[in-house]
Amino acid sequence: DQQVKQNSPSLSVQEGRISILNCDYTNSMFDYFLWYKKYPAEGPTFLISISSIKDKNEDGRFTVFLNKSAKHLSLHIVPSQPGDSAVYFCAASARRGETSGSRLTFGEGTQLTVNP
Amino acid sequence: EAGVTQFPSHSVIEKGQTVTLRCDPISGHDNLYWYRRVMGKEIKFLLHFVKESKQDESGMPNNRFLAERTGGTYSTLKVQPAELEDSGVYFCASSHLTSGRYTGELFFGEGSRLTVL
C-alpha cells in the first residue's frame, strides 16, 4: 500500500521554463511534506518543505503548493536550470505532536531533465 | 561539519553470505534512520533510532536484518543470510532531536549499494 505516489516517472523541460512535479498522498494523518532532490550516486538532499497548516511555501526558484482536500502537492521550479536535472522525491510524515523526529514516507521519485 | 558517512559504498556478495553496513551520523544527531531503495522504487523506511534506542523498527523486512547503535553514535545494519531480494541501496539519515519547531528535515548519506548474486 503506497501512501505517497508520484505518478510521473520522468519530466523533460526546456531551460528557463517552469517545471511542475506532482505528488499525491492517501494518509490523512500526514501533516508535514518535504521535497528532496537526488543526483546519481549521491544521497537525497532536502529542498523545501510545507506544513499542513499552509497551502504554499516559497524559497527562491522553488515553490511548494499543498491542496489538503485533494491530498495533492506540487513543486514548481521557475526558471528551470540544467543543474536542476535530478530525481525529485516527495515525502510526508505524521508528526503526531512529536519533537523527537518521525519517519518519512517517500514516493517513487520523478526524474527531471532540464534541456539547455 | 562532516555529513552522514556510510561504508561500504558498494558491496557484492553471494546469496547466503553476511554483509554489515555502517553509518556514521552527523555529530550530535540523536536521530538515526535506515532506509532502502530497491530497483528504482520508492525509498522505504526500515527503522529509527533515538540515541541507542530503537524508536520504530516497523519497516524491517524480516529477522534476517539486524540493526544496532551501541553507545548512540554510529550504527550498523547486518543482513544475514542475504537473499537476492535484499539487493538495493541502503541509505542512512540523521537529524537533531527537536524542541519546539519541527523541521522534519533528514540529512542523508550517499548510500551503500548492496548486490546479492
Side-chain angles (χ1 to χ4, degrees), chain A residues 2 32 34 36 38 41-44 46 49 87 89 93 95 98-109, chain B residues 31 33 35 37 40-43 45 48 50 55-56 58 91 97-100 102-106 108-110:
Chain A
Q2 200 170 339
Y32 204 80
L34 306 91
Y36 278 80
K38 183 184 177 306
E42 294 185 8
F46 171 76
S49 62
V87 178
F89 289 96
S93 74
R95 291 173 293 166
E98 292 188 32
T99 56
S100 63
S102 57
R103 61 193 283 182
L104 296 181
T105 300
F106 285 86
E108 292 191 357
Chain B
N31 286 313
Y33 303 80
Y35 286 84
R37 189 180 191 210
K41 295 288 189 180
E42 74 269 28
I43 300 171
F45 169 82
H48 171 204
V50 177
Q55 179 87 351
D56 180 357
S58 60
F91 290 105
L97 283 178
T98 58
S99 59
Y102 177 85
T103 65
E105 177 185 355
L106 303 185
F108 281 82
E110 294 187 349

Side-chain angles (χ1 to χ4, degrees), chain A residues 51-115:
Chain A
S51 163
S52 60
I53 63 173
K54 297 186 176 182
D55 55 20
K56 176 183 174 182
N57 188 26
E58 192 172 351
D59 183 2
R61 297 185 298 113
F62 302 92
T63 303
V64 56
F65 295 92
L66 175 63
N67 182 336
K68 280 196 303 182
S69 60
K71 293 191 175 68
H72 176 85
L73 63 155
S74 60
L75 173 68
H76 292 210
I77 306 174
V78 180
S80 302
Q81 300 173 353
D84 296 330
S85 297
V87 178
Y88 288 78
F89 289 96
C90 171
S93 74
R95 291 173 293 166
R96 298 185 297 273
E98 292 188 32
T99 56
S100 63
S102 57
R103 61 193 283 182
L104 296 181
T105 300
F106 285 86
E108 292 191 357
T110 297
Q111 171 69 56
L112 173 66
T113 302
V114 180
N115 301 302

Side-chain angles (χ1 to χ4, degrees), chain B residues 5 30 75 83:
Chain B
T5 56
D30 289 321
S75 174
E83 297 289 343

Side-chain angles (χ1 to χ4, degrees), chain B residues 10 20 54 66 77 80 83 100:
Chain B
H10 192 188
T20 300
K54 290 177 184 173
L66 175 64
L77 179 65
Q80 179 183 30
E83 297 289 343

